[in-house]
Each structure stands twice: as structure tokens, then as C-alpha cells.
Amino acid sequence: EALVSTRAGVSHERLAATSIGGIVKIAVGDFLLIGSIGELKVDRANSEWVLAEIEFMGEGPQGSDGTLAGFRRGVSIYPHPGDQLRLAEEVDFQQIFAPPALPHIMFGTVYPTDSIRAPILYDRLLGRHFAILGSSGTGKSTTTTLLLHRILDAAPDAHILILDPHGEYAHAFGAKAKVWDVDNLQLPYWAMNLEEHCEAFVTSSAEEAAVDRNILAKCLQKARARNVRISEAARITADSPVAYQLADLLLALEEEAGRLEKIADASRYTLLRLTIEQYFADPRYNFIFNAEYANNSLEQLLGDILRIPHQGSPISIIDLAGVPTELVNAVVSTVARLTLDFAIRSPRDAKIPTLLMCEEAHRYLPRVPTVHTAGVRRQLERIAREGRKYGVCLGIVSQRPSELSEVVLSQCGTMLSMRLNNLDDQQQLKATMAEGARSLVGVIAALANQECIITGDGVPVPMRVQVDTVPPEAKPASEDQLFSVRKAVERQQ
């Protein structure tokens, strides 16, 4: 009966409180159980009754006035038939959504209230990975920007690395960010492992690709070994982060091609050599395949892209918009691997927590990997599995959760879900949500722009949030292009 009312003249807030996602309380002895409305239907036997399916969120002691006197997540006692159900009140919301005594930021306003603020516990958010999901145009980039700004306001010494495939974020952070693109990035070719070398140099397929990979592995190992002491050469592999000269790699190819017991026809060696020379000669690849980078310092590279020290610019943005398509996966894989390897090898008392933001994550983390995405997917999944132990957090942003790697999505402790129009995406999101939050999936398709559902370790309880507005100067350059405005400009010209 608490859910039955005459709808005419009822306030918007009251209607929202009695709809899907509304919060109710059930008195059980001296306790109040708090739940979220997941489904509503009319009892056909008695059309005046509304039947509600409730997902429990938590519980707390009941005060003398029938309101919550405290709140904790989880349920220790369940209701019985006949226990009284009422709508949660403003004072109840203050208890439910009150941030615990942990570092937190305020991110928006809790639906359906106008004043209760939505806290995000950023240590838990960053310590257990997170995902920002939503269909194209729902405000994912703006939400990401707001979240990072709020985290930096609370923790100005944070280290954040953004993989930006569309060049959107440089405008959003100004002096707080250092932007790396094909004009100023110097990613030395020798820092790539064997798999990343193959991503670039091996263009054949099927059986020929396996042969070319074996050839490249043997020659790469020889080229690296020529740059260390003889006593250390036996421990060098094709994956060792040891600098080598381009001339040494080409010489190793020539030597292997001239051997009587070579593993393939000489034409395979010639084709591989021509491909390597082409990459080093093409100015489009100069940011990575440049013979002058043979003596570049890996320490300097990591210091630059991880902002150590950050010198007032704790955010590092790698603008991938100008990177040739055939090299994007190799670049992302290399950066991700170096970030985690640096964290693993750092002394425990000197580790620097780092957030790796992966925009358009479905490009690098597809559910079904291909030959060209297997390497980068492996490195990002490795961060998802192991990064938490070493202080590397993975933040993924995607419009297609149904196309994302299940491994990574299942490792995300917090989900910030904006409107999702695709049914497969909604079902995938529901499958990854914890009990007590799945009822909120029912409203995912009806969320307005700048609204999101937040669930998981990073929030006290699952909540629907009206995200705060980002000032124009802090917005990413992700607005839709207006054809009508363009047409008017052309007429003026």
C-alpha cells in the first residue's frame, strides 16, 4: 500500500521514489532493511495492490521516529510476511549515502533527491580497477574528465596515464597534463618485446607468419646480445629490454640467410629485411622506428610518460590519433607492459601508484582476440589480473561492454554505467553486477545524458547519480560536429 497513490498532482520526486530504482525500508524488529525496487506489477486478483520485487542493499538500526539511525551494507536478517514496508525518507538517504571515514570525492547528486551528494571512495575505486560504460554520445569522456579532475583535487600527486585514441583530452586538463604525440614522443624500437616486434614487422599469415616469427626471434636475440658483455650474452633473449643497433639486426638477418641449415627459404629473410628497412625509412613511423633512438634511455622514457617527478603535470596523455593504424596496438602494448614491469621491479617502499586510462577499450580488449589484438589484449589483461598488487590501476572506457574481454570486465571492482541502448550490452552489464544492484540495470536504457549508475567497491551502496556539470574550459574535445553550423559558415564564405 505504500506504493499506491493517486498519480495526479504527485510531485516528480515522489513518483521517482515509487518507480524502478526507488528505495524502500522494511521494519524487522528494531532493524530497518533497505532495498531497491527492481520490478513492479499489479496483483490481478486485487487490482488495488501493487507487487514489488525488492533487491536488498543493507540494514541499520531503527530510530525512535522510524528512520535509520545508521547503515551498513549487507543483510543479516530477512523480513517476514506482514512486516511493514515504507518509502525511504530524506533522513534515511543521508544515512544510506553518507560516506564512510575513508578518502572520498563528491561526484554528483543521488537520484531521486536534489541535495544528497554521491560519494566515491577513490582509493577503492583505483585499487580494484574500474570501467566507465555507455553508448556513444552519453557523456563518457566528460564523465571521465570530471572523475580525474576530482581525484587530482583530492590527491594532487597522483600519476595518471591516458591512452587517447581521438585526441580529446588535451583540452580538458591544460597545464595539468603533458601531451605526447607522434611529434614529440620518442618510444625506442628496442623497448618492444618479440611479440610487439612481430606486430609491426611480420606481415605474412598462417604458416609463413610462424616461420617469420622464428626468424625474427633468433635474429633479435643475436642483435641484443651484441650490445652486452660476452659473459651476459647467454642470458639475453628476444624479449630482453636491451638496446640494439638497427645495423646489428640487419646483419643478423644476412648471417642467418647465408647459413646452410637456415629454417626457411632465403626469400623469407629478404622480405623481412625489406619490411624492417621500410619502417625505419618511413617518416610516419619516426616516433618509434628511428635508428637514432638506439641509445635512448628507458629510464628517461618511463620518467616522462609516468610523470616521475610530475613537475606540476601529473597527467600524461598519449595522443594516438596520429599513430598509423598498423602500429596502434604495438604502441599500446609496449606502454602497458613497460608500466607494469616498472611497477613490479620498483622496491615495495618506493612504488608509485599509477592509473592507466584506456579510452575506447574495446579496440584493444576485444572479447574474441584477433592476430593483431592478441598481444595488446594479453598485456592489459595482465594488468587487470596483477596490477592491483603493484599499484597499477586499469580504468577502461567503452561503449560496447558486450565486446570487451570478460577477463578485464570481471576484474573491474567498480562500474560507472551510463545509458546503454544495446540489449546485449545491458545483459553483459547485468551479469557483471553484484547482487543488490541488478535491479538498476532496468533503467540503464532510459538514463538521460550526464546520468549514470555506479556500483561496486568504489561506492558505499549502488546508486543512480546525476553527474556534476563540467565547466567548458575543462571539457574534452568530444562534442558532436554540427552540420547545420558548418552549412551556415560555408554560406558566409
Side-chain angles (χ1 to χ4, degrees):
E1 294 179 353
L3 300 178
V4 180
S5 63
T6 304
R7 302 183 70 82
V10 178
S11 69
H12 179 272
E13 186 170 341
R14 172 75 176 184
L15 290 174
T18 59
S19 63
I20 302 296
I23 296 176
V24 297
K25 55 185 179 180
I26 305 172
V28 182
D30 295 333
F31 267 72
L32 288 175
L33 298 185
I34 303 300
S36 175
I37 301 173
E39 183 177 337
L40 288 172
K41 58 185 176 181
V42 175
D43 184 358
R44 294 185 180 277
N46 188 338
S47 60
E48 294 182 357
W49 285 21
V50 173
L51 302 180
E53 185 175 296
I54 307 296
E55 281 196 273
F56 295 117
M57 300 165 58
E59 63 185 13
Q62 181 176 195
S64 58
D65 58 354
T67 62
L68 271 176
F71 179 80
R72 68 177 184 184
R73 202 165 176 175
V75 175
S76 61
I77 187 170
Y78 288 87
H80 297 78
D83 286 340
Q84 187 181 24
L85 179 147
R86 291 172 290 163
L87 296 176
E89 305 171 46
E90 186 84 6
V91 290
D92 299 320
F93 288 134
Q94 292 173 359
Q95 293 288 340
I96 295 169
F97 298 107
L102 293 172
H104 62 275
I105 57 175
M106 292 303 182
F107 192 61
T109 305
V110 176
Y111 178 93
T113 72
D114 295 324
S115 59
I116 304 298
R117 299 290 288 160
I120 291 183
L121 313 176
Y122 60 85
D123 277 340
R124 291 184 178 178
L125 176 85
L126 300 178
R128 300 170 189 175
H129 311 306
F130 67 93
I132 298 177
L133 309 171
S135 297
S136 180
T138 56
K140 295 188 302 298
S141 299
T142 303
T143 300
T144 301
T145 299
L146 175 66
L147 181 64
L148 297 183
H149 270 296
R150 294 284 165 85
I151 290 173
L152 284 177
D153 290 342
D157 291 327
H159 293 261
I160 300 172
L161 174 58
I162 303 176
L163 301 175
D164 184 4
H166 303 304
E168 298 176 341
Y169 288 97
H171 175 266
F173 295 103
K176 290 182 179 180
K178 174 66 176 178
V179 181
W180 305 97
D181 56 24
V182 293
D183 294 325
N184 65 351
L185 179 64
Q186 294 185 2
L187 185 64
Y189 59 90
W190 56 264
M192 298 192 301
N193 63 13
L194 172 61
E195 193 168 41
E196 291 147 5
H197 274 81
C198 292
E199 174 71 28
F201 296 152
V202 176
T203 58
S204 51
S205 57
E207 295 181 2
E208 290 183 343
V211 173
D212 289 349
R213 179 187 176 90
N214 291 334
I215 293 173
L216 186 57
K218 193 169 185 179
C219 295
L220 192 56
Q221 186 274 332
K222 291 180 67 174
R224 293 190 193 276
R226 282 175 176 155
N227 284 269
V228 298
R229 291 191 294 268
I230 296 177
S231 59
E232 298 175 352
R235 297 198 299 269
I236 298 300
T237 70
D239 289 325
S240 299
V242 175
Y244 69 87
Q245 300 285 341
L246 170 62
D248 288 337
L249 179 60
L250 298 180
L251 178 60
L253 278 167
E254 287 185 4
E255 291 175 349
E256 288 298 315
R259 293 169 65 92
L260 293 177
E261 66 275 20
K262 55 181 177 289
I263 61 177
D265 186 83
S267 62
R268 304 308 310 164
Y269 295 85
T270 301
L271 178 60
L272 198 54
R273 177 192 174 103
L274 291 174
T275 302
I276 293 171
E277 290 177 334
Q278 178 185 355
Y279 270 92
F280 278 87
D282 194 326
R284 294 180 301 157
Y285 310 128
N286 198 50
F287 69 96
I288 183 170
F289 293 113
N290 188 325
E292 296 179 1
Y293 296 168
N295 297 317
N296 277 24
S297 165
L298 192 59
E299 180 181 1
Q300 181 65 44
L301 171 68
L302 289 169
D304 286 341
I305 65 174
L306 297 181
R307 310 306 302 145
I308 306 172
H310 63 69
Q311 299 176 333
S313 302
I315 295 180
S316 188
I317 300 173
I318 298 184
D319 185 350
L320 300 170
V323 176
T325 304
E326 59 271 23
L327 278 185
V328 169
N329 289 333
V331 170
V332 173
S333 177
T334 302
V335 170
R337 178 177 52 80
L338 291 176
T339 300
L340 182 58
D341 286 349
F342 172 76
I344 291 174
R345 287 171 171 78
S346 297
R348 181 167 292 276
D349 58 350
K351 291 190 183 300
I352 300 174
T354 302
L355 167 60
L356 177 62
M357 286 297 306
C358 189
E359 176 72 60
E360 298 285 1
H362 51 274
R363 295 175 57 177
Y364 319 115
L365 288 164
R367 181 177 296 270
V368 181
T370 65
V371 173
H372 299 293
T373 60
V376 63
R377 185 177 187 264
R378 186 175 298 110
Q379 296 303 330
L380 291 173
E381 286 183 349
R382 182 174 165 230
I383 292 178
R385 290 191 183 101
E386 306 172 21
R388 180 180 64 84
K389 302 173 184 177
Y390 304 103
V392 179
C393 169
L394 183 63
I396 63 175
V397 184
S398 177
Q399 56 186 280
R400 294 306 309 273
S402 62
E403 296 181 2
L404 277 172
S405 161
E406 289 181 312
V407 172
V408 172
L409 207 54
S410 66
Q411 293 290 333
C412 289
T414 305
M415 299 282 185
L416 292 86
S417 310
M418 312 191 81
R419 185 174 68 250
L420 286 169
N421 299 321
N422 186 277
L423 183 59
D424 290 339
D425 293 331
Q426 295 172 23
Q427 294 300 322
Q428 179 62 38
L429 178 63
K430 184 175 182 178
T432 60
M433 281 188 171
E435 293 293 337
R438 294 179 182 177
S439 61
L440 295 173
V441 177
V443 300
I444 285 287
L447 291 176
N449 285 358
Q450 219 171 317
E451 269 194 315
C452 70
I453 303 294
I454 311 179
T455 63
D457 299 323
V459 288
V461 292
M463 61 181 74
R464 178 176 174 180
V465 175
Q466 178 68 43
V467 180
D468 289 340
T469 301
V470 179
E473 66 274 11
K475 284 187 175 181
S478 58
E479 297 84 0
D480 293 336
Q481 296 297 314
L482 301 178
F483 287 82
S484 57
V485 173
R486 181 62 186 169
K487 186 176 181 180
V489 171
E490 288 177 350
R491 284 177 177 173
Q492 291 177 0
Q493 291 176 343

